[in-house]
Amino acid sequence: MRVVPVALGARSYDVRIAAGILTQAAAQLSPLSRGRPFVIVTDAHVAPHAARLAALLHNGGLASDIITLPAGEATKSWGQLEALTDALLERGIERGDHVVALGGGVIGDLVGFATSILKRGCNFVQIPTTLLAQVDSSVGGKTAINSRAGKNLIGAFHQPALVLIDPDLLDTLPLRDLRAGYAEVVKYGLIDDPEFFAWCEANGAALLAGDPAAREYAIAHSVAAKARIVAEDERETTGVRALLNLGHTFGHALEAETGFSDALLHGEGVAAGMALAFAYSARRGQCDSGDAARVAAHLQAVGLPHDLASAGITASGATLVGHMLHDKKMDGGTLPFLLARGIGQTYLDKRVDLADVAAFLDELPR
C-alpha cells in the first residue's frame, strides 16, 4: 500500500492507494466507526460497487445504508443537494458520523459540499471510482455544485477524513472516462514536472490499456504532487494552488459552450484547455512552439481533444470569452490565466487581455 499524507495540521488525512483496497474497507473504516451505520452515497452507474462495499462492511461487522443518486454532471445541482441533505437528515446523521462518497468527481463534490453545510459540518470519506477523481478531485477538499451561471460556483473547502483509492475499480470504467481522467495525470507533468510528462509520453498508452504498474505509479505520483501543493496553499491564497487549474479556464469555457453535458467531459475540456493554454503561450512568444506541439501531439495520440475542432467547438472567440467572465477566479474584473514558458513551467498571468484571447480563438480551425 502507498500512503500519501495530506499535511494540513488538524485537518490532515491519509490517501491510501492499493489495488484491492476496497476489499479491506471494513478494516480501513473501522477506526472511524462510532457504532453507527456508515451512509454510502453513490450514483446509478456505481451502484454495484456500493452494494459490494456494503456487503464487505457487513462482513466486517459494520452497518451501512446506501443513497443512490442519478448519474451525470446534472446531479451537481441545488435540487440534488437538497435531496441529499434531506436524505441524510432523515437517517439521523450526526456531526461525528462519516458519510462515504463512492463515485466519481460529481459524487465526491456533491457529498463533500453537503457534509460541509450539514449541521455546520460533518465528516466524509472519499472512495473515488474514476481516474479523474482518484488523481484530482478526491484530494484537496474542493467541493461544489454548479449553477446556471457556471461550473463549481457554489461550494466550500471541506477536507475528507480519509481517501481510499483502489486502482482495480478502474477495470470497469469506460475508455472515454479513463482518457478524461488521464488528462489530469498529464497536467501534473505540465505544471512543474517535465520528467513526469516524459513518463506519460512513454507510458500513457500502457496506463490506458490497463497496465497495473503504470496505473498505480501514475495515481500515486499525481496524488503526491497534489498533496504537496494543497499543503502549501490549501485555499488558493498564495497562488501556488492555482497552478492546478492549468487548462481549466479554457476548458470550463468549452464545457459551458456544450452545456456541461456528455458532449464534452470535464477531463476532455481540460485536455483541450491545456493544449490551448500552451498554444496561446506560444502565440505570445512565451513558450517554444515545439513544446506546444508536443503537448497537443501527446493528447491526440491518446485520443483526447487537443484543439477546438477535436473538442467539437464551433463558437466564436467572443462567445467563449463570454463564458470565461463567469469564472470563479475573476478578481477585480480581471481573469488570471495559467500559461506556460515551457513544459513543466506553468505560471499565473494576471494581465491577459481577453480581447486578445478572443482573437486567438478566432484564428483556430473549427
Side-chain angles (χ1 to χ4, degrees), residues 51 108 116 119 144 158 171 203 219 261 310 338 363:
S116 78
K119 296 189 175 179
H158 186 51
D171 290 341
N203 298 278
I219 293 169
S261 68
S310 57
L338 274 300
E363 294 167 3

Side-chain angles (χ1 to χ4, degrees), residues 311-323:
I313 302 297
T314 59
S316 69
T319 297
L320 295 174
V321 165
H323 293 310

Side-chain angles (χ1 to χ4, degrees), residues 129-332:
T129 59
T130 66
L131 182 59
L132 190 150
Q134 290 182 353
V135 302
D136 185 62
S137 61
S138 67
V139 180
K142 280 189 175 181
T143 73
I145 59 172
N146 303 331
S147 75
R148 283 177 292 183
K151 188 180 178 73
N152 295 333
L153 295 181
I154 314 296
F157 287 94
H158 186 51
Q159 301 294 343
L162 175 67
V163 181
L164 301 178
I165 296 179
D166 189 342
D168 286 351
L169 292 173
L170 303 180
D171 290 341
T172 57
L173 194 67
L175 179 57
R176 185 185 178 195
D177 294 277
L178 196 64
R179 284 175 175 150
Y182 178 69
E184 296 280 3
V185 174
V186 172
K187 179 186 74 175
Y188 292 106
L190 296 179
I191 290 173
D192 63 359
D193 193 345
E195 290 80 13
F196 184 57
F197 180 73
W199 182 93
C200 289
E201 290 177 304
N203 298 278
L207 183 158
L208 293 170
D211 181 272
R215 200 162 54 182
E216 187 166 330
Y217 174 79
I219 293 169
H221 191 94
S222 300
V223 168
K226 183 161 190 181
R228 172 179 52 80
I229 291 173
V230 169
E232 187 174 345
D233 182 18
E234 180 183 5
R235 293 176 175 260
E236 253 178 58
T237 54
T238 68
V240 173
R241 184 166 181 171
L243 297 176
L244 293 170
N245 293 321
L246 175 63
H248 286 62
T249 299
F250 283 108
H252 282 173
L254 307 187
E255 288 183 83
E257 180 60 24
T258 59
F260 298 106
S261 68
D262 287 344
L264 188 71
L265 301 180
H266 174 64
E268 293 171 337
V270 169
M274 291 189 298
L276 291 172
F278 269 79
Y280 183 57
S281 299
R283 179 181 182 270
R284 286 161 52 108
Q286 297 163 312
C287 172
D288 187 277
S289 60
D291 281 349
R294 186 178 160 195
V295 172
H298 179 57
L299 295 172
Q300 182 178 22
V302 297
L304 281 165
H306 56 284
D307 56 18
L308 293 182
S310 57
I313 302 297
T314 59
S316 69
T319 297
L320 295 174
V321 165
H323 293 310
M324 294 178 187
L325 296 176
H326 295 292
D327 195 294
K328 60 184 176 296
K329 296 183 292 297
M330 287 289 291
D331 183 17

